[in-house]
Amino acid sequence: MLKPSFALRGITLAGSLLITLSTGVAHAEDAGVLSSPTKKTVYVDVLSGTPPQDDPSQPDARVLVRPKNSPLPASGVPVAPWPGLATMDVPSVDEYQSPKTFHKLELDALTGKEGPSWLLPSEVDAQRRTDMDDPYYVPTAGSGHLVPLIMPFRERLQKKGFVFSFTYKGEAMANIHGGMQRGMDYVHELTLQMNFDLGKLAGLNGWSIHTLLMNRAGREVSHDRVGDYYVNLMEVYGLSGHVVAHLVDFYAEKKFLQNRMDITFGRMSLTHVFATSPLICSFMVTCSAPVALKVDPGFAVYPKATWGSRVRFRPTRDTMVQLGAYQVSPLSTNPSGWAWGSENTTGLMLPVEFTWQPFLTRNRLPGHYVFGYAHDTSRYPDVLGASPANKVVATGRLHSAPMDMFWFEGDQMIYRKGGRNQMAGGYLMAGYIHNTPHVSSISDEAYGGLSFNGVIPGRVTDRLGILYSWYHVSHRKELGQMYARDAGLSLGAQVLAPQTDSHVIEAYYAIDAVPGVLVQPEFQYMIRPGETSRRPDAALVGLKVIANL
């Protein structure tokens, strides 16, 4: 049975929003059938939100209306570029009008069919009535730009095929209770992102080059004040250290099969596209991936980049598959990101990920359900430890092994408020990660939380986030530490006792203060810092500020 699709033709604002929808038959060309589109006009009052005559096939107009002073355009989609995306994709704002133009925000499906969404009742499955051309992003850097005077210059460059963004991100966190000692630490990150559309620059349609440079400086409150060395409570601190200009991205992207498939290759981080999401990356602890994956040596976590390639496609309208192959190399062999010749390759990382993205009810509530697996061919030592385990464990039981990682990440919008984009609403989210216990320090992680907008009336671009995370140390690592303790050996200055698990509760309220500036007060409460009971807990307060030039 053929299904209708709707294409946005025009928007005019003059006290009311005029939307003309062209209704045709999806993929009729593939079936050899030509159909004549019919037009339907819908009026929505932008100021009052008065809905038109109710049409159950269309979203409730009241949930689509943004406040008059909203810094985002009426469509809810920000003007590119917007830094802070988990994927760092900065597409062109040109409309996708023909097979020769490859600047759509998302890929088209290989088939016109639905996948798992087909099993949903027809009144729940919004995608049966229309394709959802709705980018998944979160304005973590604040909407708009801090210096609007240069916007005409940026727009001229964009028309020629070049976009850039310069972003400052600063974080200050203070330990006010528990941990090792009270006090505050500060870190900051300066990011320059540049993207080149080779279709406009050189006539190579579908080709683009992505680059990203960054500078980081500061100290990590987890290490200095709290006493935990697995979980970084500040997002910015981590890989790359105090490098003046760390090279993160330098890769090419090619879209082909009429925007139905794309491939990237070059230097990139796995967590640009694997095991991440904009919702996860709105939290300091889990950005840009869950902790259990970030501590794995072979998982190239932003801003650590390695040589690699990724292929992505959508088998059906509601599913996506991506798979990749990435070099595995220690960060210590190339801390700046520039010294490619000095890297010591230890193996190959092979990730694959499947995503189901349904849109539910007439208000088109998006969900993202991600299942991933990765195999690292590098050989890692047994976390049981060589001494004194070699005197306790039977001969031949200690051996190196590769590492396998499994993850599930799910989120579902449960209400829509303030626009039609995928972040204009409240989400529930949960996830679980498992690593090979034989060679992993953190073998399991589970998290659950919420991300709600519009909690304060009239502030629909602000966002409240609360996330609980549980981290479990591998039983084999704990056993090795017990052997060492019983033998009278030191566990090291950073480990007070055999480690088991820890818990973190994070809450933030992100304020879209002015165009180009986001202010985010933070609260964090960690139970069992250092994964032992020697330090019962720690409470921290802080502030994150992001400014986009």
Side-chain angles (χ1 to χ4, degrees):
M1 179 177 179
L2 297 177
K3 304 173 184 178
S5 66
F6 300 90
L8 186 64
R9 295 296 188 195
I11 300 176
T12 60
L13 290 175
S16 65
L17 180 65
L18 174 61
I19 304 178
T20 303
L21 298 172
S22 295
T23 307
V25 179
H27 306 281
E29 298 85 349
D30 298 334
V33 179
L34 296 178
S35 61
S36 300
T38 61
K39 291 187 177 181
K40 178 178 181 179
T41 301
V42 178
Y43 293 90
V44 179
D45 192 320
V46 208
L47 301 181
S48 66
T50 303
Q53 183 178 358
D54 190 56
D55 181 353
S57 69
Q58 296 299 310
D60 184 346
R62 288 167 293 190
V63 303
L64 300 183
V65 175
R66 306 186 66 85
K68 185 178 180 180
N69 61 348
S70 170
L72 294 182
S75 68
V77 180
V79 177
W82 53 90
L85 282 88
T87 61
M88 293 297 172
D89 287 332
V90 183
S92 168
V93 296
D94 291 349
E95 294 182 358
Y96 181 72
Q97 296 177 333
S98 72
K100 295 183 179 180
T101 308
F102 295 86
H103 298 295
K104 199 175 181 183
L105 288 165
E106 295 292 341
L107 294 176
D108 292 322
L110 291 176
T111 69
K113 306 296 183 180
E114 283 188 308
S117 299
W118 181 81
L119 300 174
L120 299 172
S122 59
E123 64 272 13
V124 174
D125 180 15
Q127 204 165 28
R128 293 196 187 186
R129 293 184 292 271
T130 177
D131 284 331
M132 304 285 106
D133 185 9
D134 190 3
Y136 185 33
Y137 79 100
V138 60
T140 55
S143 54
H145 298 280
L146 190 58
V147 186
L149 296 177
I150 66 172
M151 284 306 297
F153 173 67
R154 302 174 74 117
E155 292 170 358
R156 288 196 299 270
L157 290 178
Q158 186 172 3
K159 290 178 181 178
K160 295 182 181 296
F162 174 71
V163 293
F164 72 94
S165 64
F166 184 77
T167 303
Y168 160 84
K169 181 185 294 184
E171 298 172 350
M173 292 293 295
N175 182 25
I176 59 175
H177 166 77
M180 291 193 304
Q181 60 178 340
R182 296 188 180 185
M184 183 179 73
D185 280 332
Y186 165 84
V187 293
H188 74 249
E189 171 185 284
L190 301 174
T191 302
L192 174 63
Q193 183 177 352
M194 296 176 290
N195 295 277
F196 304 85
D197 183 341
L198 299 186
K200 295 179 179 179
L201 291 170
L204 300 175
N205 285 323
W207 284 94
S208 57
I209 301 292
H210 304 262
T211 64
L212 191 148
L213 303 175
M214 75 159 44
N215 167 264
R216 283 182 168 181
R219 297 188 63 86
E220 167 59 42
V221 71
S222 303
H223 304 172
D224 293 347
R225 315 288 182 180
V226 177
D228 198 282
Y229 296 88
Y230 290 132
V231 183
N232 284 336
L233 298 176
M234 303 173 80
E235 170 199 339
V236 168
Y237 183 88
L239 303 176
S240 78
H242 297 268
V243 178
V244 174
H246 179 85
L247 177 63
V248 182
D249 282 341
F250 186 65
Y251 66 91
E253 180 177 9
K254 167 62 176 174
K255 296 187 187 302
F256 53 98
L257 293 181
Q258 296 186 357
N259 199 55
R260 288 181 170 85
M261 185 175 292
D262 74 354
I263 182 171
T264 59
F265 55 92
R267 292 194 64 86
M268 66 192 82
S269 300
L270 269 77
T271 54
H272 277 350
V273 287
F274 288 97
T276 191
S277 78
L279 282 175
I280 286 178
C281 217
S282 67
F283 293 90
M284 292 173 65
V285 176
T286 54
C287 190
S288 59
V291 171
L293 295 175
K294 289 197 287 188
V295 298
D296 292 338
F299 215 88
V301 178
Y302 175 84
K304 164 66 176 172
T306 58
W307 294 105
S309 180
R310 181 219 64 189
V311 175
R312 180 178 62 165
F313 59 92
R314 293 175 57 201
T316 62
R317 293 160 52 206
D318 59 342
T319 60
M320 185 178 73
V321 175
Q322 55 183 358
L323 58 156
Y326 296 83
Q327 170 199 25
V328 177
S329 64
L331 175 64
S332 58
T333 61
N334 186 10
S336 70
W338 298 92
W340 302 340
S342 66
E343 289 181 325
N344 178 28
T345 301
T346 63
L348 189 66
M349 174 67 77
L350 302 169
V352 59
E353 192 173 79
F354 171 83
T355 300
W356 174 44
Q357 181 180 5
F359 287 84
L360 307 181
T361 75
R362 60 177 293 188
N363 288 333
R364 306 174 184 179
L365 306 178
H368 308 86
Y369 300 90
V370 179
F371 301 86
Y373 163 76
H375 176 73
D376 182 359
T377 64
S378 305
R379 309 272 321 175
Y380 294 102
D382 194 325
V383 293
L384 191 67
S387 178
N390 56 358
K391 299 179 181 179
V392 180
V393 180
T395 304
R397 293 290 299 276
L398 288 174
H399 58 274
S400 63
M403 187 181 298
D404 294 296
M405 291 141 274
F406 303 86
W407 62 88
F408 164 76
E409 297 170 351
D411 59 67
Q412 178 63 57
M413 183 185 284
I414 59 174
Y415 71 86
R416 180 176 289 283
K417 186 174 184 180
R420 70 174 181 86
N421 69 82
Q422 289 202 35
M423 298 310 297
Y427 277 89
L428 296 180
M429 53 191 296
Y432 176 74
I433 297 92
H434 176 74
N435 299 318
T436 304
H438 190 82
V439 292
S440 302
S441 295
I442 300 293
S443 61
D444 298 273
E445 176 185 349
Y447 68 83
L450 58 87
S451 176
F452 288 173
N453 77 327
V455 177
I456 298 177
R459 302 286 307 177
V460 296
T461 57
D462 292 357
R463 184 164 292 274
L464 168 70
I466 301 175
L467 187 72
Y468 163 80
S469 303
W470 166 75
Y471 309 99
H472 179 64
V473 176
S474 165
H475 283 303
R476 193 163 179 86
K477 188 175 186 70
E478 179 191 3
L479 183 61
Q481 292 172 342
M482 293 172 62
Y483 286 156
R485 180 196 59 186
D486 295 343
L489 300 178
S490 172
L491 301 181
Q494 301 174 356
V495 181
L496 303 181
Q499 298 172 303
T500 54
D501 57 15
S502 64
H503 315 255
V504 175
I505 300 172
E506 178 182 354
Y508 73 81
Y509 187 80
I511 304 168
D512 205 348
V514 297
V517 177
L518 182 137
V519 178
Q520 183 169 310
E522 283 270 345
F523 173 78
Q524 295 176 356
Y525 181 67
M526 187 169 194
I527 304 170
R528 297 170 57 86
E531 291 66 50
T532 75
S533 59
R534 296 294 181 88
R535 298 190 179 102
D537 59 7
L540 302 94
V541 294
L543 184 70
K544 176 195 290 187
V545 177
I546 308 177
N548 180 28
L549 180 65

